[in-house]
Amino acid sequence: TQSDKENKVWFIISVIIVTIIFIPISTIWFKAISVDSQVWGHIYEYFFVTFSMNTIILTLGVALATLFLGILAAWITVFYDFYFKKLFTYLLIIPIAIPPYAVAYCYADITDVGGLLYTFLEFLNFSQLQYLVPNVRSIQGAIFILSITLFPYVYLIARFSFANNSKKIIEAAANLGIDRIKLFFRCALPLGKPAIIAGLALVMMEAMSDFGVVHYLGISSLSVGIYKSWFGLGDFNSAARLATILFILAFLVLSIENLIRKKNERKVFSFDLSKQEIQIFSDKNILPFIIVLLLTSIAFLIPFSWLIYNSIILVVTDSKVLSYFYKASFNSMMIALIGGLLITMAAAVICFTQRVYGSSLNFLVNFAKIGYASPGIVIAIGV
């Protein structure tokens, strides 16, 4: 029939898109088969365990922190009423637009010896308390930096889920007198779990593929190992083998995400896109305002202020930097515009095809997503 022919066209287009995505990845896998035995032996003996363990700790730490921050921010901004609620609702999204390594520069500059916090304590004659200043150049610091920049992934999805999916069920439970803790754990969280898990999978793949933050803070992860193997030891094949391990971890994350999401899916959604504000906890409590203000300050206001301040100093001391800025800004906007359009069209085609054919095409979506776990420069070399 005509419908079957159209479905086949969608399927063929999706296969072509996934093939284009998969060719560079398969090239890296092919390169990983044959490596310099001496170089790989050196990496395996002295660095492999450290690279792998740090990557796993970093990924799990960021996953837990972003899960807590994202759900907390979503829950408060949806169900509580507080001052400047609409403003904070948007401000909590902006940290995702700031490069994590720029936030790492900010907090390293603030917390390093001789930095702003040390100077401030010295000014107050509290130099004896300088030992309390946290060291951001650690794996805990890397988890902190990545968490405050990546939590909007979870926040956006959780907020949409709380505000629209099963809103009437949550409102009914609240009106029946269920307390706030039970309302969260027994109603809102289980109903939003499939969407939240999907956002968490993106966060985990972003964390395991990050290079800028971990390299600047001196953390040895698999992404740093890829660069060291390639540029330091001169063996791209060994770097490709480490990248393959990242792919395997990403595939495990996607598989677990798919399993958990399917297990927790329930056909109890009352989808509602009405613009009516939800007023379940209508009392203007100061605590939600303080929590949101603190999170916004740490994730956005402090890094943004630091970036603006240092940008002004740079322009004042070197006016030529503006000419580079204009060109770099134009290139960034063009890459974002063209890349965003291509990605959106490709994703729409693949997701629509999956919807037509059902879960039998989940492998297409997983193959399309798995490259997200590899540093971009490795994919570029694969290309």
Side-chain angles (χ1 to χ4, degrees):
T1 64
Q2 183 66 26
S3 178
D4 291 335
K5 290 181 179 179
E6 291 178 357
N7 290 344
K8 288 181 180 179
V9 171
W10 284 103
F11 177 76
I12 292 171
I13 296 174
S14 297
V15 170
I16 291 173
I17 293 173
V18 173
T19 301
I20 293 172
I21 296 171
F22 188 64
I23 286 174
I25 299 174
S26 61
T27 302
I28 295 171
W29 290 351
F30 177 77
K31 289 285 186 181
I33 296 173
S34 177
V35 297
D36 187 315
S37 58
Q38 289 185 339
V39 173
W40 177 251
H42 177 74
I43 294 172
Y44 185 80
E45 183 176 357
Y46 295 103
F47 302 109
F48 180 74
V49 174
T50 302
F51 289 158
S52 301
M53 289 303 299
N54 284 345
T55 300
I56 293 172
I57 293 171
L58 182 71
T59 304
L60 293 179
V62 172
L64 292 174
T66 53
L67 189 65
F68 174 76
L69 295 176
I71 293 178
L72 177 65
W75 176 256
I76 290 176
T77 54
V78 170
F79 294 117
Y80 283 85
D81 187 22
F82 53 90
Y83 301 103
F84 309 109
K85 177 178 176 178
K86 287 188 176 180
L87 176 62
F88 282 115
T89 297
Y90 293 107
L91 289 179
L92 287 168
I93 303 173
I94 300 179
I96 204 172
I98 305 177
Y101 58 83
V103 180
Y105 296 159
C106 165
Y107 280 102
D109 184 53
I110 292 173
T111 60
D112 279 349
V113 176
L116 182 63
L117 282 179
Y118 277 82
T119 304
F120 181 69
L121 290 173
E122 189 173 343
F123 175 77
L124 296 176
N125 292 323
F126 288 143
S127 300
Q128 66 274 17
L129 299 179
Q130 289 179 345
Y131 74 95
L132 294 175
V133 177
N135 179 20
V136 78
R137 297 183 184 274
S138 61
I139 194 165
Q140 293 85 359
I143 291 172
F144 167 75
I145 298 297
L146 289 173
S147 297
I148 63 174
T149 53
L150 296 178
F151 84 89
Y153 278 114
V154 177
Y155 163 71
L156 281 170
I157 293 178
R159 190 183 193 288
F160 184 86
S161 178
F162 291 158
N164 299 293
N165 292 352
S166 308
K167 181 169 70 175
K168 295 186 184 303
I169 296 175
I170 296 173
E171 288 177 326
N175 291 331
L176 288 172
I178 188 172
D179 65 68
R180 300 182 182 189
I181 296 177
K182 288 182 179 179
L183 180 66
F184 175 75
F185 284 104
R186 293 189 180 182
C187 294
L189 190 59
L191 293 171
K193 191 181 294 184
I196 294 170
I197 293 298
L200 190 63
L202 289 177
V203 169
M204 294 178 73
M205 289 192 290
E206 185 84 34
M208 66 175 66
S209 67
D210 175 79
F211 173 75
V213 173
V214 292
H215 180 260
Y216 180 70
L217 298 181
I219 310 301
S220 296
S221 66
L222 282 171
S223 58
V224 173
I226 291 169
Y227 284 78
K228 286 183 177 181
S229 301
W230 184 7
F231 295 110
L233 301 176
D235 185 11
F236 174 71
N237 289 21
S238 293
R241 182 168 289 187
L242 290 176
T244 302
I245 296 169
L246 265 183
F247 286 131
I248 294 171
L249 290 176
F251 187 78
L252 289 174
V253 168
L254 291 174
S255 300
I256 295 171
E257 177 266 334
N258 190 49
L259 183 65
I260 295 175
R261 183 160 45 85
K262 280 187 175 182
K263 184 179 179 181
N264 288 277
E265 281 180 344
R266 299 288 186 272
K267 303 299 182 181
V268 292
F269 297 112
S270 63
F271 198 73
D272 187 1
L273 289 177
S274 65
K275 295 183 179 180
Q276 182 180 0
E277 287 287 334
I278 303 172
Q279 295 292 340
I280 291 182
F281 310 134
S282 58
D283 51 318
K284 282 192 182 305
N285 198 324
I286 193 64
L287 183 59
F289 173 75
I290 294 174
I291 293 173
V292 173
L293 177 62
L294 182 62
L295 180 57
T296 305
S297 300
I298 294 173
F300 170 62
L301 296 179
I302 293 175
F304 184 72
S305 302
W306 183 89
L307 288 170
I308 293 297
Y309 173 75
N310 283 276
S311 299
I312 294 172
I313 292 179
L314 180 61
V315 172
V316 171
T317 56
D318 185 8
S319 58
K320 293 181 180 179
V321 75
L322 286 176
S323 60
Y324 298 106
F325 171 77
Y326 294 137
K327 184 177 180 181
S329 298
F330 177 78
N331 289 340
S332 296
M333 287 187 289
M334 290 303 296
I335 290 172
L337 178 62
I338 298 173
L341 288 173
L342 290 174
I343 290 167
T344 303
M345 289 188 293
V349 170
I350 293 173
C351 291
F352 179 77
T353 305
Q354 185 195 28
R355 184 174 181 83
V356 171
Y357 282 88
S359 59
S360 59
L361 290 187
N362 282 342
F363 71 94
L364 272 181
V365 180
N366 288 335
F367 273 125
K369 290 189 293 187
I370 199 169
Y372 194 68
S374 178
I377 195 169
V378 176
I379 299 294
I381 292 301
V383 173

